[in-house]
Amino acid sequence: MTRSVAQGVAQGVAQGVNRGDIWLVNLDPTVGSEITKSRPCVVVSPAEMHDHLRTVLVAPMTTGSRPAPFRIAVAHGGKRGLILLDQVRAVNQTRLAKKLGEVSPKTLTTTLSVLQHVFAE
């Protein structure tokens, strides 16, 4: 894909990306303890970021992990799992494969509150 086509794809995705959305994201390649493969991720960055950058901050979701204070319980697609705030990362918008839905307003508020706590002094 040429750079101009990739930019067009990214700009098209960006217009439809909102904080709290759940997207299927290709997280590979990874290194070490980073969570792998394509999986649902919650967008935690604000839309204003997506208007100016080609990256999105996402928190991966999983059904196979241990609870912790920085992991948020979530139900999506008939499954219960966790939003892994310890695995937040910036990804290029071209990694966003398909929009799967969105988290509830309560889950989004909890997620953002925990992120504030994680990054506070």
Side-chain angles (χ1 to χ4, degrees), residues 79-118:
K79 296 181 180 180
R80 294 193 171 277
L82 298 167
I83 301 170
L84 306 178
L85 298 182
D86 55 308
Q87 293 281 340
V88 169
R89 68 182 76 180
V91 297
N92 190 286
Q93 292 174 16
T94 58
R95 288 182 180 264
L96 304 180
K98 179 181 179 184
K99 184 175 177 181
L100 301 175
E102 55 192 41
V103 296
S104 71
K106 181 180 178 182
T107 299
L108 180 57
T109 298
T110 301
T111 299
L112 296 177
S113 176
V114 171
L115 280 172
Q116 285 179 330
H117 179 72
V118 167

Side-chain angles (χ1 to χ4, degrees), residues 28-49:
D28 290 328
T30 59
V31 176
S33 298
E34 296 172 348
I35 197 162
T36 63
K37 69 183 181 179
S38 292
R39 66 177 59 242
C41 294
V42 177
V43 175
V44 296
S45 51
E48 297 82 12
M49 228 173 125

